[in-house]
Amino acid sequence: MNAPSNAERPGSWRVRAQQLVSYEVRFRDHVFRPDRADVLEIGSGRRRFVVVDHAVDLLHGAGIRAYFDHHDVESTIMTVRADESAKDFGTAARIVEALDAFGLARRREPVIVVGGGVLTDIVGLVASLYRRGTPFVRVPTTLVGLVDAGVGVKTGVNFNGHKNRLGTYAPAALTLLDRFFLATLARRHVSNGIAEILKLGLIKDVRLFDLLERHGPRLLDEKFQGVTPVGDQAAVAVLHAATAGMLEELEPNLWETELERSVDYGHTFSPTIEMRALPSLLHGEAVCVDMALTTVVAHHRGLLTEHQRDRVFAVMTALELPTWHPLLEPDVLAGALQDTVRHRDGRQRVPLPVGIGGVTFVNDITQTELETAAAVQRTLAPTPPLPFP
Ligand SMILES: NC(=O)c1ccc[n+]([C@@H]2O[C@H](COP(=O)([O-])OP(=O)(O)OC[C@H]3O[C@@H](n4cnc5c(N)ncnc54)[C@H](O)[C@@H]3O)[C@@H](O)[C@H]2O)c1
Ligand SMILES: [Zn+2]
């Protein structure tokens, strides 16, 4: 068959192709229990290359190794110290070298990644670049991973001082969400993950907000392990609502052709704040500082009442999240907004909450408005503010 020619322009061809994207995100408790088969469901052959977060390996490595042995699969485990400051191209390149050394079969040996959002983002990027794309299976082990990084299709590393400056859109063939990894997660990281859940509650799902208002501290205490029946019910309800809500937002806009994304709430100023504060602020903490700022902006614009604003701040504080940060200085705010405008292709497209559970997008936020809001925000933050390590 001839290549499709363009009748209007002789000597020019337009190529049209479509790629169906289909991937599964599945809750599965205790994924590495020997009787579970999910991790090996994708691919074939008796070998797997597994990238495991260093901290996860120390805590869960024996079980992970025993799992592959039990299934008679030869596993090569690469451990990576993955925190935000290691989320760079150098780490990605080391993984590529290890894949070459392993001699990865291109399609039938999916790379398996077990770790937090940093590692799943890096390995997702590697997998999407390696031979222009090789399948991978994701097992997130942090709350951010479970409800956010592990749910969508974005991969990336930081570069040139910018957050996720290099990245791709590449879905994992299968993502397995196992809340029992959270048992060993530091309390601060649980709180950090709840920030992304709170985001969805604030701009999309008032029921989710109510759940966090009612059960947030218990979820933090129990680390979503269901120590009590009430805590168990709340943990499952919150995790499922967050994942479903996230996917509902992502699915119609997987490649971000639409740049007004409500899931970008809290992500207008936070990328700059997070990178400037590195390593003292975690991702979700920076997001919360941004949400606190934009909650005040929304209140000043009459989009939410004073009572709603105060409820939001109270929930943030009960979740042990920061509601203010010393970096909220005029020049930082201006620079952050400028960078976001470039990221959003020339317009602000800032999501603001409408009441609790609604959203609108604005393009006319002014510098004065931001500075006024940041000053008010400071007075609303608990005194003394949560300690910044
Ligand atoms: N791709 C996306 O759509 C998306 C969405 C949200 C966030 N992210 C990215 O995710 C990253 C943040 O992810 P994170 O919060 O998971 O951080 P992280 O991956 O750095 O993990 C946090 C810490 O917990 C440790 N850890 C991981 N699992 C553990 C466990 N089960 N028990 C004990 N310790 C454990 C890690 O070693 C690390 O020190 C950011 O880089 C952010 O950009 C990506
Ligand atoms: Zn985020």
Side-chain angles (χ1 to χ4, degrees):
M1 221 168 85
N2 292 332
S5 71
N6 183 342
E8 283 158 35
R9 281 180 191 256
S12 158
W13 288 263
R14 176 163 307 285
V15 177
R16 285 195 186 83
Q18 276 184 345
Q19 189 176 21
L20 176 72
V21 170
S22 152
Y23 66 95
E24 187 176 349
V25 176
R26 182 188 305 164
F27 275 95
R28 174 67 82 219
D29 293 346
H30 306 292
V31 276
F32 287 109
R33 218 170 59 190
D35 62 331
R36 298 284 197 237
D38 312 59
V39 169
L40 295 165
E41 187 178 307
I42 306 288
S44 58
R46 316 292 332 150
R47 300 187 331 146
R48 285 297 182 275
F49 187 84
V50 190
V51 192
V52 182
D53 178 281
H54 176 75
V56 174
D57 189 43
L58 290 178
L59 294 159
H60 305 275
I64 294 173
R65 283 173 178 76
Y67 176 85
F68 289 104
D69 291 347
H70 176 85
H71 288 273
D72 203 18
V73 169
E74 191 192 315
S75 59
T76 294
I77 312 256
M78 176 183 189
T79 60
V80 176
R81 278 182 197 277
D83 54 39
E84 198 63 41
S85 37
K87 192 181 180 185
D88 58 25
F89 216 74
T91 306
R94 278 200 300 117
I95 299 172
V96 172
E97 283 163 8
L99 287 177
D100 275 344
F102 177 78
L104 189 85
R106 188 170 170 186
R107 295 279 150 74
R108 65 194 156 80
E109 294 176 340
V111 179
I112 298 169
V113 51
V114 188
V118 166
L119 195 63
T120 55
D121 271 13
I122 302 174
V123 173
L125 178 68
V126 167
S128 69
L129 296 177
Y130 195 72
R131 296 185 193 278
R132 300 192 181 84
T134 195
F136 68 110
V137 172
R138 254 181 332 204
V139 183
T141 59
T142 60
L143 188 54
V144 168
L146 253 75
V147 298
D148 199 342
V151 174
V153 299
K154 292 205 272 187
T155 78
V157 292
N158 304 331
F159 194 79
N160 204 19
H162 293 287
K163 184 123 180 87
N164 297 325
R165 184 50 43 105
L166 295 176
T168 55
Y169 297 97
L174 176 63
T175 300
L176 298 165
L177 307 177
D178 180 355
R179 67 174 159 136
F180 291 101
F181 274 110
L182 307 184
T184 55
L185 195 62
R187 185 180 177 94
R188 182 177 172 197
H189 281 278
V190 178
S191 171
N192 179 51
I194 300 183
E196 295 278 12
I197 303 179
L198 179 61
K199 169 186 82 178
L200 285 171
L202 291 177
I203 44 84
K204 182 178 169 65
D205 185 351
V206 67
R207 274 198 51 243
L208 187 52
F209 178 84
D210 289 342
L211 279 170
L212 290 179
E213 191 172 45
R214 223 165 336 129
H215 302 292
R218 184 192 291 272
L219 292 172
L220 207 45
D221 288 342
E222 296 189 8
K223 297 186 177 177
F224 289 80
Q225 300 304 293
V227 178
T228 59
V230 178
D232 194 46
Q233 246 185 14
V236 172
V238 165
L239 289 175
H240 285 209
T243 305
M246 193 70 187
L247 285 172
E248 200 177 278
E249 293 300 313
L250 296 182
E251 192 183 27
N253 191 24
L254 265 192
W255 290 276
E256 303 184 337
T257 27
E258 173 55 69
L259 291 171
E260 288 189 352
R261 302 170 69 238
S262 52
V263 287
D264 271 348
Y265 182 51
H267 292 68
T268 300
F269 304 95
S270 67
T272 298
I273 294 169
E274 183 183 350
M275 290 307 282
R276 292 262 192 126
L278 204 67
S280 77
L281 265 190
L282 299 175
H283 176 75
E285 293 171 344
V287 168
C288 195
V289 168
D290 179 318
M291 295 194 297
L293 173 71
T294 42
T295 294
V296 177
V297 170
H299 171 243
H300 286 171
R301 287 183 173 224
L303 295 172
L304 85 181
T305 64
E306 189 170 314
H307 175 62
Q308 287 169 327
R309 179 200 71 184
D310 293 346
R311 260 178 90 195
V312 172
F313 270 68
V315 170
M316 289 169 169
T317 306
L319 292 170
E320 299 173 14
L321 287 162
T323 51
W324 181 79
H325 192 275
L327 270 173
L328 292 170
E329 288 290 328
D331 56 328
V332 178
L333 291 169
L337 189 56
Q338 248 171 31
D339 197 49
T340 291
V341 164
R342 278 191 291 269
H343 191 65
R344 297 184 187 150
D345 207 28
R347 304 195 74 191
Q348 291 183 353
R349 306 178 213 263
V350 175
L352 287 181
V354 179
I356 294 176
V359 70
T360 186
F361 294 86
V362 301
N363 290 295
D364 57 353
I365 292 191
T366 65
Q367 178 68 18
T368 317
E369 189 177 12
L370 286 177
E371 288 175 27
T372 309
V376 172
Q377 180 184 1
R378 182 172 193 173
T379 67
L380 294 172
T383 12
L386 291 173
F388 297 104

